Amino acid sequence: MAILRGSGREPGGGVVVGEEIGHPALAGGAWPVIGVRVRREGRELRAASWRPAPYTVLEDVLLPCTWPELEGLARIAVGQSRARVYVREIEAAEPLLVLCLRGAPGAVQVEGPLAPVAEPLAARTRAAVLRVAAVHRAAGRTEEGQV
């Protein structure tokens, strides 16, 4: 399983659109990923699982790049929250998936126990937090760039 996705550009290679950060992976920036088994029907995402399941394929799923989602994932990964993790597609030339929290449009819940992936999820969430902070600092938003 890969740890980073993208062309290997410097961390903080995100796309800044107004005050929002577009996902850095869309601009070819390296970004932490985690393996999730997904099932599709055609191009539509139908199911996701942390463990092997019928008709699923292991895919690298990007971690999000927004503070609220990263904070939520961090709490889930270290056991401070029992909320569920979801996955959704993001608009891109190729189909890309990103972890998200409940309520995101088109989100599918990742089934199965989190315990086997909690440690890697926590580590990759931390890496994503540091990269988001770097993107904000590079854009001159020092307050948002503090971790």
Side-chain angles (χ1 to χ4, degrees), residues 44-46 86-89 97-98 100 103-109:
E44 295 291 317
L45 181 63
R46 292 292 180 207
Y86 292 76
V87 64
R88 66 180 175 88
E89 293 183 331
L97 298 174
V98 65
C100 62
V108 173
Q109 182 177 330

Side-chain angles (χ1 to χ4, degrees), residues 28-39:
W31 201 258
V33 297
I34 192 160
V36 177
R37 297 192 175 273
V38 298
R39 180 174 55 88

Side-chain angles (χ1 to χ4, degrees), residues 62-136:
L62 297 162
L63 270 75
C65 65
T66 63
W67 287 125
E69 287 181 315
L70 288 170
E71 289 170 351
L73 279 178
R75 284 193 304 275
I76 293 167
V78 299
Q80 292 179 347
S81 172
R82 293 184 52 139
R84 299 291 186 162
V85 177
Y86 292 76
V87 64
R88 66 180 175 88
E89 293 183 331
I90 56 175
E91 298 296 321
E94 61 181 87
L96 292 176
L97 298 174
V98 65
L99 291 182
C100 62
L101 300 176
R102 185 176 182 195
V108 173
Q109 182 177 330
V110 181
E111 301 289 337
L114 183 67
V117 296
E119 189 174 324
L121 180 60
R124 293 179 184 158
T125 300
R126 183 176 189 279
V129 164
L130 294 173
R131 288 177 186 245
V132 168
V135 169
H136 280 294

